[in-house]
Amino acid sequence: MTTALRRLRNYIDGEFRDAADGRTTEVVNPATGEAYATAPLSGAADVDAAMAAAEAAFPVWRDLIPAERQKVLLKIADRFEERAEELIAAESENCGKPIALVRSEEIPPMVDQIRFFAGAARMLEGRSAGEYMEGFTSIIRREPVGVCAQVAPWNYPMMMAVWKFAPAMAAGNTVVIKPSDTTPASTVLIADIIGSVLDELGHPRGVFNVLCGDRETGRLMVEHEVPAMASITGSVRAGMQVAESASKDLKRVHLELGGKAPVVVFEDTDIPKAVEDIAVAGYFNAGQDCTAATRVLVQESIHDEFVAALAKKAAETKTGAVDDEDVLYGPLNNANQLKQVKGFIERLPAHAKIEAGGEQVGEKGYFFAPTVVSGLKQDDEIVQHEVFGPVITVQSFSDEKQAVEWANGVEYALASSVWTKDHARAMRLSKSLDFGCVWINTHIPLVAEMPHGGFKKSGYGKDLSAYGFDDYTRIKHVMTSLND
């Protein structure tokens, strides 16, 4: 007997709808490898409808006083708390994530981030007015950019949706957001939450819209004539494609792409503490995090001791079922990602050594063991390219100069960390490391008040913070004559 699959639907102008042409795709739970739902495979007609709804709602939403937009976002945050167990269940099924970790590590920061941007809604100030030409006064207006086409990833589908809609809506923009085709469930639930709040407070339904679909759906959204801005969190390849598509009509683009974070460990560090923290930061969410601590550079004098301790910690780290409170992470998100991670391990050069893990775990789902690989060289594939899995590589460096050279010697530039008791060294490296974030004696904490975003092929634009809020606004100069 076959269990009926749940039917997910698009959310357009306040209504849940199937794709106009009826096409669907199956959604698979990565913890079981089995389909649990179907979702629309949205095409041009669906994109047209969502963009029209957002465009119609924009003038009304834009012209609200900031306090009214704040009120909406604060109520959305409250509703997230009230419906937290529904969100947790949806995200766990979406991604195979441990339920306890979604509850403790995702719901609280998401609620906090929405409330942060609710406050930012009332900070649309410009520089003070002044006279810069005799007889004239200049003022600066901060305005929303318009309709925003947003594409969220599958590693944190729920949280990344928050990072996109919250600053956009706070600034007065309207939103059409597309979750990944492998993880649409939590975003569809978010649509129900936001739609109910907009209805209750009497605001246009088209302020927030969700389109399920694949890469083609995303391409149609970015190339559509209505959006003034395209925002994507995803791979470097996807970011380049979005930038190229958006260039055809000069849309503003916001890109948060891949990462290959260096973790630079000096001989004076507290090895047990560093190993403990780095393992968590490397294996959390199955290493499916652009900032994950997966590329460790260790000073040669402590290399062997560090590798032995890290391998022991990896062997103690558990992956497994969503209801097991002792596991640190769940499965990889999909079969293709499992194949990619396996491929990196299968192609390791002869000089590399697998110190721990290196294999799939279990017969069902896409679980992969916590892995440590040592003996690597700077130009090895696994050092240069993003694995996006629970794999930590270790290299040995001789001195500070070599550490900086190797740390910067990749095409990504999102996040990094330095582990040392030497304050002056930490300050030198915080300047020298070419990454959007440098953590010192820690790795991966984020707060709503501080920006997240990188350089080079990690993209441009910032998430979180006032800088992320600024990205969803435009600047207008108004000059008035003081003469009769």
Side-chain angles (χ1 to χ4, degrees):
M1 183 176 178
T2 303
T3 303
L5 301 181
R6 188 161 79 252
R7 186 175 74 171
L8 303 174
R9 307 173 81 187
N10 291 330
Y11 187 78
I12 301 173
D13 204 16
E15 297 179 351
F16 285 100
R17 309 181 190 180
D18 295 322
D21 60 9
R23 291 189 303 154
T24 63
T25 184
E26 287 191 342
V27 185
V28 173
N29 183 332
T32 64
E34 297 173 355
Y36 70 91
T38 63
L41 195 54
S42 300
D46 306 298
V47 174
D48 285 343
M51 295 302 173
E55 185 178 35
F58 174 63
V60 179
W61 185 250
R62 174 198 63 199
D63 292 343
L64 287 176
I65 62 170
E68 289 301 312
R69 291 198 294 271
Q70 180 190 46
K71 188 183 299 183
V72 171
L73 287 164
L74 289 174
K75 195 168 188 68
I76 290 170
D78 292 344
R79 199 62 53 84
F80 266 56
E81 287 184 322
E82 293 164 11
R83 299 181 65 177
E85 292 306 312
E86 293 176 70
L87 290 165
I88 292 163
E91 192 73 339
S92 181
E93 198 167 33
N94 247 352
C95 307
K97 294 184 180 186
I99 291 170
L101 287 174
V102 178
R103 181 178 290 116
S104 65
E105 304 300 321
E106 297 201 28
I107 296 295
M110 286 193 307
V111 171
D112 179 66
Q113 289 152 9
I114 296 169
R115 288 177 175 149
F116 171 82
F117 284 113
R122 301 178 74 162
M123 294 293 291
L124 277 166
E125 83 287 354
R127 294 179 180 176
S128 62
E131 289 68 50
Y132 302 94
M133 180 181 291
E134 190 173 341
F136 297 87
T137 294
S138 288
I139 61 174
I140 296 295
R141 291 183 56 89
R142 289 270 299 285
E143 300 178 341
V145 297
V147 175
C148 297
Q150 302 182 319
V151 179
W154 48 251
N155 58 333
Y156 294 101
M158 187 164 61
M159 187 176 291
M160 295 302 98
V162 168
W163 286 21
K164 293 192 179 301
F165 81 72
M169 288 176 59
N173 303 287
T174 55
V175 167
V176 179
I177 188 168
K178 187 192 86 65
S180 168
D181 55 340
T182 67
T183 55
S186 56
T187 312
V188 171
L189 179 56
I190 287 172
D192 184 57
I193 292 172
I194 294 178
S196 68
V197 171
L198 290 170
D199 270 353
E200 288 173 22
L201 297 181
H203 298 300
R205 292 180 164 190
V207 169
F208 182 84
N209 306 270
V210 172
L211 285 175
C212 300
D214 57 10
R215 290 178 182 173
E216 176 63 12
T217 310
R219 184 189 66 80
L220 290 169
M221 288 171 56
V222 173
E223 293 186 355
H224 201 277
E225 62 182 8
V226 165
M229 179 174 178
S231 170
I232 177 175
T233 299
S235 68
V236 173
R237 181 183 66 175
M240 289 179 171
Q241 290 171 346
V242 166
E244 182 178 2
S245 295
S247 70
K248 295 174 182 177
D249 57 0
L250 296 180
K251 284 185 177 67
R252 185 180 296 197
V253 178
H254 183 281
L255 303 175
E256 198 275 274
L257 310 176
K260 194 68 179 175
V263 180
V264 185
V265 182
F266 286 92
E267 61 186 359
D268 62 343
T269 196
D270 181 336
I271 294 177
K273 181 182 186 304
V275 165
E276 178 78 22
D277 293 352
I278 290 167
V280 172
Y283 296 134
F284 188 82
N285 203 43
Q288 298 171 126
D289 190 312
C290 297
T291 64
T294 55
R295 183 168 64 105
V296 179
L297 308 172
V298 183
Q299 196 156 20
E300 58 189 9
S301 58
I302 61 166
H303 174 269
D304 293 351
E305 180 184 358
F306 183 92
V307 169
L310 184 60
K312 182 176 183 292
K313 184 64 183 177
E316 297 168 353
T317 300
K318 289 182 62 178
T319 179
V322 300
D323 57 354
D324 185 342
E325 296 194 2
D326 292 329
V327 304
L328 177 64
Y329 66 89
L332 295 166
N333 181 260
N334 55 73
N336 285 339
Q337 189 59 26
L338 175 62
K339 181 179 178 181
Q340 175 170 307
V341 174
K342 283 183 172 181
F344 275 102
I345 299 301
E346 291 165 357
R347 295 188 301 272
L348 282 173
H351 55 261
K353 180 182 178 183
I354 298 175
E355 303 280 355
E359 71 280 328
Q360 186 175 353
V361 176
E363 298 179 359
K364 291 193 344 178
Y366 311 130
F367 296 90
F368 201 83
T371 299
V372 177
V373 182
S374 67
L376 294 164
K377 299 178 180 179
Q378 179 66 10
D379 59 355
D380 286 337
E381 177 197 32
I382 200 168
V383 169
Q384 288 296 315
H385 298 285
E386 188 172 36
V387 178
F388 225 56
V391 179
I392 296 178
T393 64
V394 184
Q395 297 167 259
S396 175
F397 68 84
S398 58
D399 56 25
E400 186 176 315
K401 179 181 179 182
Q402 187 178 62
V404 171
E405 179 185 346
W406 285 359
N408 289 338
V410 294
E411 63 183 11
Y412 306 95
L414 182 59
S416 60
S417 63
V418 180
W419 300 75
T420 181
K421 295 177 182 177
D422 185 329
H423 177 74
R425 174 191 283 151
M427 292 297 96
R428 288 195 301 272
L429 265 77
S430 68
K431 177 182 177 182
S432 299
L433 289 173
D434 189 20
F435 295 84
C437 175
V438 180
W439 286 291
I440 299 173
N441 294 326
T442 187
H443 193 106
I444 227 166
L446 295 169
V447 292
E449 294 87 350
M450 290 293 111
H452 174 83
F455 314 134
K456 293 160 60 174
K457 286 190 177 179
S458 289
Y460 44 80
K462 298 295 182 184
D463 288 312
L464 303 178
S465 79
Y467 299 100
F469 181 64
D470 287 348
D471 282 352
Y472 287 94
T473 69
R474 65 185 191 182
I475 304 300
K476 179 186 287 184
H477 169 220
V478 179
M479 180 179 271
T480 181
S481 172
L482 300 179
N483 301 313
D484 293 334

